[in-house]
């Protein structure tokens, strides 16, 4: 596997926990809060796994507001990017994992290869800006599911992206 970093924005600790789980399952040691990352650091990596929680009516996690500008200013051509997001499909069913859409919008025109889309029909929710052509733009993690279900989703997603990293 090429040099990989997992970058997250987390307010309550859930997204950080999921980022660390993803990194552990991939055997990746570099896991950072987006507030501690800059464009020069991104240049050192071939693979970027970017994760955010969703707040309010589908908003990006606070630490990512500057992070999105950093992504847009960085040279991401030739890199492989996978996204993950966490949300609450029972409490916020109409904006489930909507924050991931902001990350997707920031990188989709960057020249990077986007991987890790997930079939949206395997979730129960009403609406999400993070769904394109019937798939989430990355791994959607529903914090209202059981730990076993979450771990199963993460494991399956990690196995699906491993060959492309």
């Amino acid at each position: 596997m090429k040099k990989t970093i997992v970058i997250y924005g987390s307010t309550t600790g859930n997204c950080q926990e999921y980022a660390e789980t993803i990194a552990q399952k991939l055997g990746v040691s570099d896991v950072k809060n987006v507030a501690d990352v800059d464009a020069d650091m991104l240049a050192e990596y071939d693979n970027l796994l970017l994760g955010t929680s969703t707040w309010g009516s589908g908003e990006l996690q606070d630490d990512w507001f500057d992070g999105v500008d950093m992504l847009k200013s960085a040279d991401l051509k030739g890199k492989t990017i996978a996204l993950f997001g966490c949300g609450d499909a029972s409490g916020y069913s109409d904006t489930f994992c909507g924050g991931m859409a902001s990350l997707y919008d920031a990188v989709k025109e960057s020249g990077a290869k986007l991987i890790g889309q997930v079939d949206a029909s395997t979730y129960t929710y009403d609406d999400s800006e993070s769904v394109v052509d019937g798939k989430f733009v990355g791994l959607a993690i529903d914090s209202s599911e059981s730990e076993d279900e979450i771990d199963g989703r993460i494991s399956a997603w990690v196995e699906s992206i491993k060959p492309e990293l």
Side-chain angles (χ1 to χ4, degrees):
M1 184 183 337
K2 295 177 180 170
K3 194 165 181 192
T4 302
I5 187 170
V6 180
I7 302 170
Y8 64 88
S10 187
T11 301
T12 65
N14 286 346
C15 195
Q16 178 178 355
E17 177 187 331
Y18 302 141
E20 290 168 352
T21 299
I22 289 166
Q24 182 265 326
K25 289 179 183 290
L26 278 172
V28 170
S29 58
D30 294 342
V31 183
K32 300 232 183 260
N33 185 306
V34 66
D36 301 324
V37 176
D38 61 27
D40 290 339
M41 186 182 294
L42 293 181
E44 299 173 23
Y45 294 90
D46 304 297
N47 303 316
L48 310 174
L49 279 65
L50 310 174
T52 185
S53 51
T54 298
W55 288 93
S57 58
E59 274 95 45
L60 192 61
Q61 192 274 340
D62 290 350
D63 293 339
W64 270 110
F65 287 113
D66 290 337
V68 164
D69 291 337
M70 174 199 51
L71 288 174
K72 290 178 178 177
S73 69
D75 181 7
L76 302 177
K77 286 180 188 66
K79 296 190 183 299
T80 298
I81 296 177
L83 306 176
F84 62 97
C86 53
D88 177 353
S90 63
Y92 297 91
S93 187
D94 57 341
T95 59
F96 178 58
C97 286
M100 209 171 20
S102 297
L103 297 182
Y104 175 75
D105 290 343
V107 300
K108 69 181 179 184
E109 306 286 329
S110 67
K113 177 182 178 185
L114 288 170
I115 63 169
Q117 295 80 9
V118 175
D119 183 355
S121 70
T122 65
Y123 295 82
T124 302
Y125 67 99
D126 290 325
D127 195 20
S128 177
E129 290 184 22
S130 295
V131 174
V132 176
D133 297 330
K135 292 187 175 196
F136 280 99
V137 295
L139 173 64
I141 302 169
D142 181 359
S143 62
S144 68
E145 290 186 313
S146 73
E147 285 299 318
D148 287 345
E149 290 171 310
I150 291 170
D151 191 62
R153 284 193 191 275
I154 291 173
S155 294
W157 184 72
V158 164
E159 289 306 311
S160 76
I161 66 171
K162 263 185 188 177
E164 300 193 66
L165 299 177

